[in-house]
């Protein structure tokens, strides 16, 4: 009796499935679990998944940072005979890696050295304000320093930092980006909070934010900056650190006059406003009139503002576009496709 052949998927389809799974948003511990699980399926899956995971690297915890550093050629050689994972990964990472995303989770390190806000009782949600020794943000400095020192990852173009339940000063006070790979042109900084109870506290912290006018470091190679969950003053500080920016992308913008004047190199400002509609009140909080009067764009920049949102109020939008045109700035609407889905 003939045995029925075992169904199989072509490697190209498996790699596409793995790529879509890896690109899906998930919590850091979920991503770490997915990584370790997929690496153990079989050798074919290991090879295909490493092509995906090392193209867009995620460092969900400090242990992953340590393992990632093992793939540096100089370190891999010094470690002697490597296991299957290290051998496969070390051969791929330098050739494929184009982005590195660091996840810094304050909820995973509520105890120990450092200051917090909220969470009066143990176990309650809180926001970590500062720490000199926390391993998660320290991993940012360590990995970027090693990549820069060894002139490693020649195809790396994008670095992203995802802070969860953290304040806004760690990046500046601890000089996390003081040593930065010169090949990187895109930088993303995203702040979020894990519990609804922390949102009012996060809003309050935004009002307390103090500008860092002397950041003690500069990143002149970055051309595209994307930020979310931060006060506008934070964006202004990053504009000073990245003096050659060409595009600035912000989520839920407000008080844009704080950014005026933008560096002469900035030609495009992207405003992301999630939701099915964009009403007059939301547009009012951008305070574009005051921003334009403060010469938001340099006259030679021929500035362009792209708004990605739901359907805008037609009257308010027309008025705003007419006002921008008076200052030689083009206001463009792009529909946020995500607003079409629940």
């Amino acid at each position: 009796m003939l045995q029925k052949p075992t169904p199989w998927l072509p490697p190209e389809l498996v790699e596409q499935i793995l790529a879509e799974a890896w690109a899906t948003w998930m919590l850091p511990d979920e991503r770490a679990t997915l990584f370790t699980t997929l690496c153990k399926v079989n050798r074919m899956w290991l090879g295909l998944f490493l092509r995906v995971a090392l193209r867009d690297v995620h460092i969900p915890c400090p242990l992953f940072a340590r393992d990632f550093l093992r793939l540096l050629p100089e370190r891999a050689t010094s470690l002697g005979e490597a296991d299957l994972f290290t051998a496969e990964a070390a051969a791929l990472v330098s050739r494929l890696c184009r982005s590195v995303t660091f996840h810094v989770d304050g909820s995973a390190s509520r105890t120990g050295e450092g200051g917090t806000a909220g969470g009066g009782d143990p176990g309650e949600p809180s926001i970590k304000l500062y720490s000199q020794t926390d391993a998660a943000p320290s991993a940012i400095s360590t990995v970027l320093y090693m990549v820069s020192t060894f002139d490693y990852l020649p195809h790396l173009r994008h670095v992203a930092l995802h802070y969860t339940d953290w304040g806004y000063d760690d990046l500046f006070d601890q000089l996390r980006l003081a040593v930065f790979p010169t090949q990187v042109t895109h930088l993303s900084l995203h702040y979020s909070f894990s519990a609804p109870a922390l949102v009012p506290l996060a809003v309050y912290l935004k009002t307390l934010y103090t500008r860092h006018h002397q950041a003690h470091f500069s990143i002149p190679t970055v051309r595209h900056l994307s930020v979310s969950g931060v006060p506008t003053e934070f964006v202004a500080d990053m504009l000073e650190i990245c003096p050659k920016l060409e595009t600035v992308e912000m989520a839920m913008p407000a008080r844009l006059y704080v950014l005026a004047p933008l560096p002469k190199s900035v030609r495009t400002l992207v405003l992301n406003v999630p939701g099915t509609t964009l009403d007059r009140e939301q547009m009012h909080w951008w305070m574009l009139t005051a921003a334009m009067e403060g010469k938001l764009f340099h006259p030679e920049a021929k500035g362009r503002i792209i708004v990605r949102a739901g359907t805008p109020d037609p009257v308010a939008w027309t008025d705003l576009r007419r006002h921008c045109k008076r200052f030689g700035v083009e206001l463009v609407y792009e529909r946020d496709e995500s607003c079409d889905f629940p």
Side-chain angles (χ1 to χ4, degrees):
M1 184 175 180
L2 294 174
Q3 186 176 5
K4 294 183 65 176
T6 303
W8 63 280
L9 295 174
E12 296 80 6
L13 181 56
V14 173
E15 184 173 353
Q16 181 179 346
I17 293 172
L18 293 173
E20 292 183 3
W22 191 243
T24 303
W25 182 91
M26 62 189 80
L27 296 172
D29 57 344
E30 294 172 338
R31 190 173 296 278
T33 300
L34 177 66
F35 186 96
T36 54
T37 300
L38 292 178
C39 284
K40 295 177 180 178
V41 176
N42 57 42
R43 174 140 194 179
M44 184 191 79
W45 275 58
L46 174 66
L48 293 175
F49 177 60
L50 286 182
R51 289 179 58 86
V52 171
L54 296 179
R55 184 182 305 121
D56 296 301
V57 173
H58 284 263
I59 298 181
C61 64
L63 288 178
F64 269 66
R66 182 200 64 184
D67 291 338
F68 182 66
L69 289 176
R70 290 175 57 201
L71 305 181
L72 290 168
E74 292 81 359
R75 294 171 69 92
T77 301
S78 67
L79 292 173
E81 186 175 352
D83 55 26
L84 177 60
F85 168 82
T86 304
E88 293 274 359
L92 290 172
V93 65
S94 182
R95 178 164 54 91
L96 295 180
C97 184
R98 65 186 183 186
S99 73
V100 177
T101 300
F102 297 90
H103 298 267
V104 184
D105 189 355
S107 64
S109 56
R110 298 200 191 280
T111 60
E113 184 271 336
T116 61
D121 297 325
E124 286 188 1
S126 62
I127 297 175
K128 197 152 193 173
L129 299 179
Y130 66 89
S131 176
Q132 294 181 337
T133 60
D134 191 293
S138 296
I140 299 171
S141 307
T142 302
V143 171
L144 294 180
Y145 175 82
M146 296 292 286
V147 171
S148 300
T149 300
F150 289 119
D151 197 19
Y152 194 53
L153 305 181
H155 304 293
L156 178 64
R157 295 295 180 269
H158 184 198
V159 169
L161 276 57
H162 290 200
Y163 278 88
T164 302
D165 296 348
W166 267 83
Y168 304 108
D169 296 316
D170 176 77
L171 192 71
F172 304 98
D173 293 345
Q174 304 303 324
L175 307 179
R176 302 299 182 194
L177 305 178
V179 181
F180 199 79
T182 56
Q183 68 269 36
V184 174
T185 57
H186 288 57
L187 175 62
S188 299
L189 306 170
H190 304 296
Y191 287 72
S192 61
F193 302 92
S194 61
L198 293 177
V199 174
L201 179 57
V203 173
Y204 178 62
L205 289 178
K206 286 183 180 181
T207 66
L208 297 180
Y209 182 86
T210 303
R211 290 287 309 273
H212 299 78
H213 289 288
Q214 295 181 344
H216 304 295
F217 64 94
S218 177
I219 313 176
T221 58
V222 170
R223 299 292 182 265
H224 183 108
L225 174 68
S226 175
V227 294
S228 66
V230 300
T232 309
E233 289 79 4
F234 180 103
V235 183
D237 283 339
M238 291 305 303
L239 289 172
E240 292 190 4
I241 290 173
C242 306
K244 299 297 183 181
L245 283 170
E246 297 174 0
T247 302
V248 178
E249 185 170 352
M250 303 172 59
M252 300 301 293
R255 300 182 300 113
L256 294 176
Y257 64 84
V258 173
L259 305 181
L262 291 166
K264 182 179 179 181
S265 57
V266 175
R267 295 177 174 83
T268 304
L269 180 63
V270 181
L271 309 179
N272 294 317
V273 188
T276 57
T277 60
L278 178 62
D279 59 37
R280 179 182 292 272
E281 183 177 359
Q282 289 173 298
M283 287 184 264
H284 168 75
W285 281 110
W286 300 347
M287 298 188 180
L288 262 180
T289 299
M292 291 300 169
E293 292 174 352
K295 299 181 180 180
L296 183 63
F297 289 96
H298 190 277
E300 298 178 6
K302 298 181 179 179
R304 190 166 183 249
I305 300 176
I306 300 174
V307 178
R308 294 174 182 156
T311 304
D313 178 290
V315 176
W317 177 261
T318 300
D319 290 343
L320 198 59
R321 186 171 58 183
R322 185 182 300 116
H323 183 76
C324 289
K325 190 174 181 179
R326 284 176 47 206
F327 290 87
V329 175
E330 182 184 12
L331 185 64
V332 179
Y333 169 75
E334 292 183 359
R335 182 167 182 79
D336 178 14
E337 298 299 333
S338 64
C339 70
D340 295 331
F341 302 94

